[in-house]
Amino acid sequence: MNRRAAVLVAAAVLASGCGLESSFALPFQVGPGSIRPVPELAGVEIAVGSKDFTENQVLGYVAEVALAAAGAEVRDMTNIQGSNSSRQALLSGDIDLSWDYTGTGWISYLGNTEPIPDERAQFEAVRDADLARNGLRWLEHSAVDNTYAFAVTGSYAREHGLRTTSDMVALIRQDPARGVFCLETEFAGRDDGFPGVAAAYGFDPRATQVKTFGIGTIYTAISTGLCDFGEVFTTDGRIRALDLVVLEDDRNFFPRYNAAVVLRQEFHEAHPEVARVLAPVTAALDNDTIRALNAEVDVDGRDPAAVARDWMVREGFVTVPSG
């Protein structure tokens, strides 16, 4: 466990709402690149939070690096345990901004049961409702969509001409023995999981063979041939590392989970420059990019802060001061 993770695990969000107990500055310095110093942000203290999984930590550090280059005094509050704790930290003012996901906002925070298939419409619905009800401002969403999908090995996809979930269904109808799935226990029984997929795509889930695993184990199970198809998150770094192919959800069954920066409206009004600094960074992110960055952490064992910084340097957003 790295230093930031260890500290923030110890400094968990308190159930009483008293807030987060510790924070750090970035462990390195960055200079301006295409992100230039912003006089209005010089010395402004900005607490950036994240949830406790790899992708959200990387995105948190991406925001920290960008804002540091613009001249803000960044407080690192990444690795907050759980979506609800991260959300509460934002609402209470313990953090000033974090990245969240449109599907999570619409279903988990706002209490809706029916997702909106179109990613733009989903974003706009969350943006408008969360601002009206909770005073939270969602900045423009990215092309990063961390939703569910089925994946197969690259060789299996090429052998059977698989590109979409409909292709998968056609194959298992033709040869039911091919319908071997690796799924999480919860996903296997949820209406918005495997049974719902079966209903939407028109196949009988009872005619398939389901093996249940923890989500982290499923990627290896697919790659080693324990199953033909596996449930994955579309931006997981292990997809790229294990040469897996994500099948397109061509009937748009799964909710859209586009990543976006969220901040309190009062903070946004006080510091509108934050949105302008982060806009080009958000526009540069997509699923291929975030998969590669996630893999640097989960496969290569790199620190998420360093991964975020190095990507920002490669993209020309920031520079690293000599020495």
Side-chain angles (χ1 to χ4, degrees):
M1 183 179 292
N2 63 36
R3 178 181 65 87
R4 287 167 295 283
V7 169
L8 285 169
V9 166
V13 176
L14 302 180
S16 63
C18 294
L20 302 178
E21 297 175 341
S22 298
S23 67
F24 282 99
L26 273 172
F28 46 72
Q29 291 186 331
V30 294
S34 60
I35 295 175
R36 307 304 300 171
V38 178
E40 294 87 349
L41 292 180
V44 174
E45 190 174 89
I46 302 177
V48 178
S50 83
K51 305 179 190 184
D52 57 349
F53 60 91
T54 295
E55 176 175 302
N56 210 248
Q57 291 179 51
V58 170
L59 290 173
Y61 286 121
V62 162
E64 291 186 15
V65 169
L67 293 169
E73 294 292 330
V74 171
R75 292 171 56 214
D76 175 16
M77 304 287 280
T78 53
N79 203 46
I80 301 169
Q81 294 183 332
S83 291
N84 289 337
S85 295
S86 177
R87 168 84 166 186
Q88 184 56 41
L90 184 59
L91 287 167
S92 66
D94 287 317
I95 61 175
D96 297 310
L97 65 87
S98 61
W99 290 78
D100 220 314
Y101 300 87
T102 54
T104 305
W106 185 244
I107 296 170
S108 298
Y109 303 148
L110 296 169
N112 298 285
T113 57
E114 293 295 326
I116 300 173
D118 179 77
E119 69 177 41
R120 183 70 198 176
Q122 177 75 97
F123 164 72
E124 291 177 352
V126 172
R127 178 198 63 193
D128 296 346
D130 217 8
L131 180 61
R133 296 185 201 176
N134 303 302
L136 293 182
R137 168 70 66 174
W138 288 67
L139 303 184
E140 185 60 47
H141 73 86
S142 71
V144 172
D145 181 12
N146 188 6
T147 189
Y148 292 103
F150 294 104
V152 297
T153 62
S155 59
Y156 195 86
R158 291 187 290 273
E159 178 184 357
H160 298 286
L162 300 176
R163 188 182 61 83
T164 67
T165 304
S166 291
D167 294 337
M168 175 190 81
V169 172
L171 177 64
I172 61 178
R173 282 178 179 162
Q174 177 184 343
D175 184 359
R178 299 285 184 185
V180 181
F181 289 83
C182 289
L183 311 174
E184 288 181 286
T185 302
E186 183 180 354
F187 183 87
R190 283 197 338 235
D191 288 340
D192 61 344
F194 195 56
V197 172
Y201 281 90
F203 68 94
D204 185 355
R206 296 169 298 181
T208 65
Q209 181 184 350
V210 171
K211 301 178 181 180
T212 55
F213 295 89
I215 187 62
T217 311
I218 290 176
Y219 297 87
T220 304
I222 303 168
S223 68
T224 57
L226 289 178
C227 49
D228 299 307
F229 306 96
E231 165 208 354
V232 298
F233 293 110
T234 52
T235 58
D236 196 291
R238 288 164 290 194
I239 291 170
R240 176 172 173 156
L242 295 171
D243 187 32
L244 304 182
V245 171
V246 175
L247 301 181
E248 177 191 348
D249 177 20
D250 51 310
R251 295 194 178 180
N252 294 315
F253 171 77
F254 292 115
R256 306 270 65 83
Y257 285 88
N258 291 92
V261 173
V262 188
L263 58 167
R264 291 184 310 285
Q265 176 64 7
E266 60 188 37
F267 183 83
H268 174 65
E269 291 174 349
H271 304 291
E273 301 82 11
V274 168
R276 292 196 285 271
V277 168
L278 295 178
V281 179
T282 299
L285 290 163
D286 58 23
N287 277 8
D288 287 339
T289 297
I290 201 66
R291 277 190 205 117
L293 300 182
N294 290 341
E296 289 189 50
V297 178
D298 289 332
V299 179
D300 302 334
R302 298 192 66 212
D303 186 285
V307 168
R309 176 200 60 198
D310 292 351
W311 177 74
M312 293 284 284
V313 171
R314 289 195 300 271
E315 293 295 308
F317 290 120
V318 303
T319 56
V320 176
S322 59

